[in-house]
Amino acid sequence: MGVEPENTLRSFTAAQQAGLDVIELDLHLSKDGALVVMHDTDVDRTTDGTGPIAEKTLAELRALDAGRGERVPEFEEVLDAVRSPLQAEIKDVAAARALAEVMHRRDLAARVEVSSFHDEAVAEIARLVPGVRTALIGSRFGPDIVDRAVAAGAGTVCLNIRRVTLEVVEAARKADLRIIGWVVNTQDQLRLVRALELDGATTDYPEIKRTGRFTA
């Protein structure tokens, strides 16, 4: 998030207070198998620690400062702290399996949409949690992103707004896929979302919900 430390309870609370429709977060597995909320594979950029998430226990991750005194949150902590619908991005098949266990235990299929850059992770969560809403994310992509999404069982494609084309949008519409643009942080990008009539946009600046404008 552009206004609070990313992937922290502080940022999720701010997004909820801004009235955003969905809060996006990123999930990794700790060394001891906990689902923790962080974007990168290592802790260097967003905390005062160093090293890969996969080599640290949950307790070690929780001891880090994630910005303004915030801790690295566990996924279930976020579930308890905010009421908003969530889009949870998973980084691999192992995280899909861990997330599926939580979703079954807490009956989250209606509240949590699951996204990933990895086709196999999308397909795995769809297999493990029947009826879950899923999204395939594309950064560098061509029209084949639509066929990949359909094959993985996704209902949505999340497309890098810097690379989205009318050809891909039309192909996604024909396949009955929802289309989300990311990351939409400038007014030009917002105008493109509206011109292409996308179904939504991911942003780092929650004030868009209130003002329809971005602050750099």
Side-chain angles (χ1 to χ4, degrees):
M1 177 181 280
V3 296
E4 297 288 358
E6 67 179 66
N7 276 306
T8 63
L9 290 182
R10 185 183 180 112
S11 69
F12 301 139
T13 299
Q16 179 172 269
Q17 291 174 343
L20 296 190
D21 298 316
V22 179
I23 296 174
E24 193 269 350
L25 51 79
D26 306 280
L27 296 178
H28 287 271
L29 286 177
S30 66
K31 183 178 180 179
D32 48 353
L35 276 172
V36 294
V37 183
M38 188 177 291
H39 181 274
D40 300 353
T41 56
D42 58 57
V43 303
D44 299 53
R45 180 178 64 86
T46 57
T47 78
D48 59 350
T50 59
I53 296 171
E55 295 179 5
K56 298 183 184 296
T57 66
L58 176 61
E60 290 170 332
L61 292 165
R62 300 275 288 172
L64 301 176
D65 185 343
R68 301 186 186 179
E70 290 288 298
R71 297 181 301 176
V72 176
E74 194 175 2
F75 177 55
E76 293 200 56
E77 184 181 9
V78 177
L79 291 171
D80 294 334
V82 300
R83 300 178 303 279
S84 301
L86 302 175
Q87 184 185 84
E89 182 188 331
I90 49 177
K91 305 299 183 178
D92 53 35
V93 170
R97 292 168 182 157
L99 177 58
E101 188 278 325
V102 176
M103 292 188 71
H104 281 300
R105 175 163 46 82
R106 299 190 56 154
D107 192 21
L108 297 174
R111 181 183 175 194
V112 177
E113 180 180 43
V114 182
S115 64
S116 182
F117 281 94
H118 305 290
D119 306 41
E120 63 274 15
V122 172
E124 182 70 355
I125 194 70
R127 182 183 72 83
L128 293 171
V129 187
V132 67
R133 291 168 294 118
T134 56
L136 181 65
I137 309 172
S139 180
R140 295 180 178 275
F141 56 86
D144 66 307
I145 188 75
V146 173
D147 292 334
R148 289 169 49 205
V150 172
T156 299
V157 284
C158 300
L159 304 178
N160 183 343
I161 197 66
R162 296 176 182 273
R163 299 182 66 86
V164 69
T165 65
L166 182 59
E167 178 186 13
V168 172
V169 169
E170 290 177 340
R173 294 291 184 215
K174 289 179 181 178
D176 292 324
L177 296 173
R178 295 178 68 250
I179 310 164
I180 304 297
W182 65 270
V183 174
V184 177
N185 283 344
T186 70
Q187 293 187 43
D188 283 344
Q189 290 165 347
L190 178 58
R191 281 191 284 270
L192 180 58
V193 167
R194 289 171 171 165
L196 292 173
E197 299 182 339
L198 304 189
D199 297 287
T202 301
T203 182
D204 293 324
Y205 298 98
E207 62 264 27
I208 183 177
K209 180 71 175 181
R210 183 181 68 256
T211 65
R213 301 181 63 183
F214 292 98
T215 302

